[in-house]
Amino acid sequence: MPKIKIISLIFLAFIIFSVTSCSKSSDQNTVISTQEFTSGSYIENGDTLNSKMGSDGRTIKGTLKSGQVYYLSADFSDATVNSGDTLVVQSGVQVLVVGQTSGPAKIGTQGHAPALIINGTFLCLGTKAHPNLFTVADASLKSKAALDPQDPATDPAFAGYWGGIQGGAGSGDIIIKWTLLEYLGGIAPATDPLRAGKPRYGIFIQNPSANLVLEDDWFYGSKNDMIRPAGCKYEIFRNTFEKVGLIAGECVNVKSGCVGDIAYNLAVGGTGNAFKTSNAGGLSPQSNMNTYNNTVITGGFRQAKAGEGGSIDFENGGRGLAYNNILVDCAYGLSVLGGGGLTPAADTANIKYGYTFNYGDDITIAQQFLPAGFITVPQAGDINGGNATVPGANNPMFVNYPLPLSGTTNFGNLNYVDSYNFRLQNSSPALGKGFTGFAPYAVVKADPVFGVTEITPPGKDLGAFQSDGTGNQH
């Protein structure tokens, strides 16, 4: 499977093309392509988004121009998009986080982990040909793929160098397409009303009237939750999650005030659940998560709280659907909490699930396909639906992934995608086993700029990668 981290090479080729074929201009009305959406004036190439003439923090609006490079400096506080304003990121843009690599002002520490604060609207419009990139600039700070599997305690992927994208209480939409975001979860400043002194969530949104659209993105490295919808309508399609959460955190952790779809995502090595819904937070509407056709690998092994996290979770009044998911070597299978413990029960009357493909290489994994302390039961269409499953039974037969794994494998360190290919071989038992008798919630309008580009319907095959080429494109 071609890994999106080769994007840097694509960026280089794209930038060379831009320099040799397009003359630079200071005219803010110049547009590289009539197909590139623009709002307001262009922000100057090479600009520091969170500081203007040495200011500590900055308000920004306008457009980051296609193919150009911008910076966030750890020496300054956040960049803020005010209510009513819009920040557009055209295709092929790089936003690089810079800062000191050691000492008390080290990048990622409190006061030195800048974020984009979105009180207005954020439109990040990468394309398959020219994806966008948000990462740390200094190569010495980055995780080295050649060292995988690494000890998460020392892997820089979990360092949290910047504060991610934080939606305010009255924010507008946050729409991110074909973008690689790395090293999120920097420590929030003392002025942060929700996370002061704690790792920020990679992407946070808290307005039930706003839309969150994440399509075809790659999320690499975070200290806690990568995506925390705490109020929004959301569509989360065809993304890849890698190295999420050090000792806590979900790939997507949905709270009250949220309704939407999570489909065709690949999640590898998350600390807790890949996808979780809880109605905590006191907002309306009730948390309602439709999660289908996802592939989840080795989730849940770094979770500090025993008995929590692993794949897909419904708890504390959360409701929704879960169909056609492949769960491989996860600490726990699909979890529906029935109550009686410290965490309140899910809205069990309004949860439907089934057609789950469980696979485990160790007896302790196979005995948690139906997690202890939860009320999950085998459903129609399940493969390996019960806890009596023999380890190694019904290999899903990915194109390139080394199943079965040894029983001595440290599953907590298997948190990387590398060159593995999670598409299905022609003889996979997951082919043709999908359930298509339900529909996406489709709560966000279809629009290439202001909505979701493609709401992919339920697939005839299990998992994120369909044999007809639809689904996850990474």
Side-chain angles (χ1 to χ4, degrees):
M1 174 170 48
K3 188 171 181 180
I4 203 170
K5 284 190 193 171
I6 63 172
I7 323 189
S8 55
L9 297 178
I10 298 173
F11 279 138
L12 180 59
F14 178 66
I15 291 168
I16 292 172
F17 173 81
S18 300
V19 171
T20 57
S21 61
C22 303
S23 61
K24 291 185 179 180
S25 172
S26 60
D27 182 358
Q28 292 185 326
N29 294 317
T30 300
V31 180
I32 284 181
S33 167
T34 56
Q35 297 179 354
E36 295 269 3
F37 178 78
T38 301
S39 175
S41 299
Y42 286 117
I43 297 173
E44 185 178 357
N45 185 28
D47 210 346
T48 299
L49 302 179
N50 61 329
S51 181
K52 190 71 171 179
M53 299 182 66
S55 66
D56 186 24
R58 175 183 175 185
T59 59
I60 55 172
K61 62 180 179 179
T63 299
L64 306 188
K65 194 173 183 179
S66 181
Q68 297 188 344
V69 180
Y70 301 88
Y71 298 92
L72 286 169
S73 173
D75 292 333
F76 306 108
S77 57
D78 301 327
T80 301
V81 179
N82 285 336
S83 178
D85 289 343
T86 297
L87 179 65
V88 173
V89 185
Q90 292 182 338
S91 68
V93 166
Q94 297 185 57
V95 176
L96 305 179
V97 186
V98 296
Q100 299 179 39
T101 60
S102 61
K106 181 180 178 180
I107 187 172
T109 58
Q110 189 171 27
H112 303 282
L116 293 177
I117 306 298
I118 310 300
N119 295 318
T121 298
F122 181 67
L123 306 174
C124 186
L125 306 174
T127 66
K128 188 173 185 178
H130 304 299
N132 293 329
L133 172 65
F134 288 71
T135 190
V136 64
D138 193 325
S140 69
L141 295 172
K142 296 185 177 183
S143 181
K144 306 296 188 292
L147 300 179
D148 289 330
Q150 303 180 55
D151 180 355
T154 57
D155 185 350
F158 302 99
Y161 293 127
W162 67 293
I165 298 165
Q166 307 295 314
S171 78
D173 297 344
I174 295 176
I175 296 177
I176 305 174
K177 305 184 182 191
W178 283 106
T179 299
L180 168 60
L181 299 101
E182 300 183 316
Y183 308 105
L184 300 97
I187 303 300
T191 54
D192 188 294
L194 300 175
R195 301 289 295 173
K198 299 177 182 178
R200 276 170 158 163
Y201 305 125
I203 297 175
F204 177 71
I205 185 168
Q206 53 180 322
N207 181 3
S209 299
N211 296 322
L212 172 66
V213 175
L214 305 174
E215 289 187 277
D216 303 295
D217 301 317
W218 195 297
F219 299 98
Y220 178 87
S222 68
K223 274 193 172 181
N224 203 289
D225 290 347
M226 184 63 82
I227 314 296
R228 174 64 79 94
C232 67
K233 293 170 285 186
Y234 60 90
E235 301 293 350
I236 300 175
F237 278 95
R238 303 176 304 278
N239 304 286
T240 295
F241 297 86
E242 184 178 7
K243 297 191 177 184
V244 172
L246 181 57
I247 60 173
E250 270 75 38
C251 297
V252 183
N253 189 350
V254 183
K255 301 302 182 184
S256 65
C258 296
V259 178
D261 299 297
I262 301 174
Y264 295 99
N265 301 284
L266 171 66
V268 179
T271 289
N273 293 287
F275 313 114
K276 170 183 172 181
T277 182
S278 161
N279 201 44
L283 297 179
S284 181
Q286 178 185 7
S287 182
N288 190 347
M289 177 180 76
N290 185 14
T291 178
Y292 63 92
N293 281 102
N294 299 288
T295 298
V296 183
I297 312 292
T298 58
F301 288 97
R302 294 190 307 278
Q303 173 59 261
K305 295 181 180 179
E308 289 193 13
S311 56
I312 298 170
D313 179 269
F314 294 88
E315 63 179 53
N316 194 9
R319 62 179 293 181
L321 309 175
Y323 291 115
N324 302 342
N325 299 294
I326 295 179
L327 313 178
V328 171
D329 285 327
C330 293
Y332 300 96
L334 192 154
S335 303
V336 178
L337 187 61
L342 296 178
T343 302
D347 181 3
T348 56
N350 290 297
I351 295 172
K352 296 180 180 179
Y353 58 96
Y355 297 84
T356 302
F357 193 129
N358 294 293
Y359 175 86
D361 279 314
D362 185 86
I363 187 64
T364 61
I365 293 172
Q367 289 178 343
Q368 294 291 339
F369 288 164
L370 305 176
F374 292 78
I375 62 169
T376 315
V377 297
Q379 298 289 325
D382 286 352
I383 296 177
N384 296 343
N387 287 346
T389 302
V390 176
N394 289 307
N395 188 326
M397 300 185 68
F398 297 126
V399 168
N400 175 27
Y401 187 70
L403 296 177
L405 295 169
S406 165
T408 61
T409 298
N410 184 339
F411 294 100
N413 289 0
L414 289 181
N415 50 27
Y416 54 94
V417 174
D418 195 44
S419 59
Y420 295 133
N421 187 335
F422 294 96
R423 290 171 174 81
L424 302 171
Q425 296 183 35
N426 291 335
S427 54
S428 169
L431 292 173
K433 301 297 176 59
F435 173 54
T436 59
F438 67 105
Y441 291 166
V443 294
V444 178
K445 69 180 180 180
D447 189 283
V449 174
F450 299 103
V452 57
T453 300
E454 177 191 319
I455 294 179
T456 311
K460 62 182 178 60
D461 306 319
L462 303 179
F465 300 89
Q466 297 293 290
S467 56
D468 62 4
T470 60
N472 195 298
Q473 299 297 298
H474 295 151

